[in-house]
Amino acid sequence: MASSRGGGSQQVIRTGDMEKMSLDQLKAVKEQADIEVNLLQDSLNNIRAATGRLENASAALHDLSLRPQGKKMLVPLTASLYVPGTLDDADKVLVDIGTGYFVEKTMAEGKDYCERKINLLKSNFDQLIEVASKKKTLADEAGLILQAKLKQSSPSS
Amino acid sequence: MSSSSTALRDLQSDLENKANDLSKLQKDIAKNHQVRKKYTIQLGENELVLKELDLLKEDANVYKLIGPVLVKQDLAEANANVRKRIEYISAELKRLDSSLQDLEEKQHSKREAILKVQQRSQSLQAGKAKA
């Protein structure tokens, strides 16, 4: 389940501070910011994948609700073994809510659950995008200032 | 002359010991962070589960996955279990917090001690060079 992890200490480094730093410090700042940007991108991808899975589940639920009771179907027993069966009461569904707990819900409640989770993930995703873009601009600024300093210390005649 | 070179050797070995202690401290701090991350994720998941359980009506059916078996559980019991787990994880996190603070203080004082030994060995070497 994708969850927003508490990151390390947040240091607000302003452009003015970066101008005063030495080359080594600036390099360290840029590397640190790059690592953080990568971590945030990974988290963003995870959230996107989880949202995709939930949307699949929601679509499957919707499809199931359209099927009549008694309909013949193939039930997966393993990844390569399907067994013919008939659809029983499609109004009750078992929902995995995490840490090994399953809850019996009606079809409507199940759809509602998927909706809620998708909304939660979307808001997490939006929050994360904000943080990630701020970090990216910081990393880019550090890179620019680093390049400028490098040019300064080794001027090409 | 020989006394100052033995003093220098002592300082060197002292420096080595302190450097080893520092790297061990840093490894402990890294491990602390890892365990902390794991517990934080578990806490988040358990709180989500608690929220879902709270939304249920009294007569709703709750099942717990124990190994390959899905066992029917009482809603009150499931609530109590999840709450207890949340309490346990929160206590563990608090414990980790205080031990992390302790480790960071030790790391800081170890760094200062290393600096002092380095300064002494530098001044000793400068003294030897002059003599």
Side-chain angles (χ1 to χ4, degrees), chain B residues 22-100:
Chain B
L22 186 67
S23 80
K24 184 167 174 307
L25 275 174
Q26 284 173 329
K27 273 198 212 122
D28 287 340
I29 289 183
K31 205 162 73 119
N32 188 298
H33 278 148
Q34 250 185 330
V35 181
R36 223 157 168 267
K37 206 156 74 158
K38 196 174 74 140
Y39 275 136
T40 313
I41 294 180
Q42 282 183 352
L43 186 67
E45 198 179 350
N46 274 293
E47 288 188 341
L48 277 179
V49 175
L50 193 64
K51 251 195 264 177
E52 283 299 323
L53 289 177
D54 283 338
L55 287 174
L56 292 175
K57 284 192 297 217
E58 287 254 349
D59 57 353
N61 290 327
V62 180
Y63 301 85
K64 182 157 168 73
L65 192 68
I66 302 181
V69 180
L70 207 56
V71 180
K72 187 151 161 45
Q73 269 217 332
D74 184 33
L75 180 59
E77 200 184 323
N79 260 318
N81 276 342
V82 176
R83 269 181 231 270
K84 243 190 284 187
R85 184 121 181 91
I86 288 183
E87 269 182 42
Y88 170 74
I89 297 182
S90 309
E92 281 294 307
L93 272 179
K94 241 193 269 183
R95 201 176 54 87
L96 281 174
D97 271 343
S98 63
S99 78
L100 181 70

Side-chain angles (χ1 to χ4, degrees), chain B residues 111-125:
Chain B
R111 283 208 175 117
E112 289 188 340
I114 286 186
L115 215 63
K116 281 202 196 112
V117 172
Q118 281 178 330
Q119 284 170 344
R120 272 174 50 203
S121 78
Q122 273 176 350
S123 56
L124 209 62
Q125 281 180 328

Side-chain angles (χ1 to χ4, degrees), chain A:
Chain A
M1 210 41 202
S3 56
S4 50
R5 301 183 211 143
S9 54
Q10 304 273 350
Q11 282 176 306
V12 179
I13 304 180
R14 289 172 289 273
T15 326
D17 296 342
M18 286 204 273
E19 298 272 346
K20 296 184 207 134
M21 284 195 225
S22 71
L23 268 175
D24 285 334
Q25 281 179 312
L26 205 52
K27 230 186 265 185
V29 166
K30 173 151 173 49
E31 278 175 8
Q32 178 72 17
D34 279 340
I35 292 178
E36 286 176 6
V37 165
N38 279 336
L39 277 174
L40 289 170
Q41 290 282 27
D42 279 343
S43 298
L44 279 172
N45 287 337
N46 281 341
I47 294 187
R48 245 181 295 193
T51 315
R53 278 202 304 268
L54 272 173
E55 288 180 347
N56 281 342
S58 184
L61 262 187
H62 182 71
D63 190 79
L64 200 59
S65 67
L66 298 174
R67 306 288 169 184
Q69 192 177 23
K71 180 126 176 82
K72 292 227 168 59
M73 57 184 282
L74 286 172
V75 181
L77 283 187
T78 69
S80 41
L81 177 62
Y82 287 74
V83 172
T86 41
L87 185 61
D88 194 14
D89 180 16
D91 192 50
K92 292 270 173 71
V93 283
L94 265 182
V95 180
D96 179 358
I97 55 179
T99 67
Y101 279 99
F102 290 73
V103 180
E104 197 177 60
K105 286 186 187 278
T106 63
M107 181 61 75
E109 285 174 1
K111 283 192 198 162
D112 184 58
Y113 175 83
C114 286
E115 284 294 318
R116 260 184 294 139
K117 287 287 175 235
I118 291 180
N119 288 337
L120 180 69
L121 284 184
K122 283 209 176 121
S123 74
N124 278 352
F125 187 76
D126 292 333
Q127 283 176 337
L128 208 56
I129 280 216
E130 265 194 56
V131 176
S133 53
K134 277 201 204 126
K135 269 286 166 233
K136 182 99 180 48
T137 40
L138 191 75
D140 290 340
E141 269 181 27
L144 281 173
I145 299 184
L146 189 65
Q147 278 182 337
K149 288 218 171 175
L150 279 173
K151 273 212 202 107
Q152 269 181 3
S153 50
S154 54
S156 46
S157 51

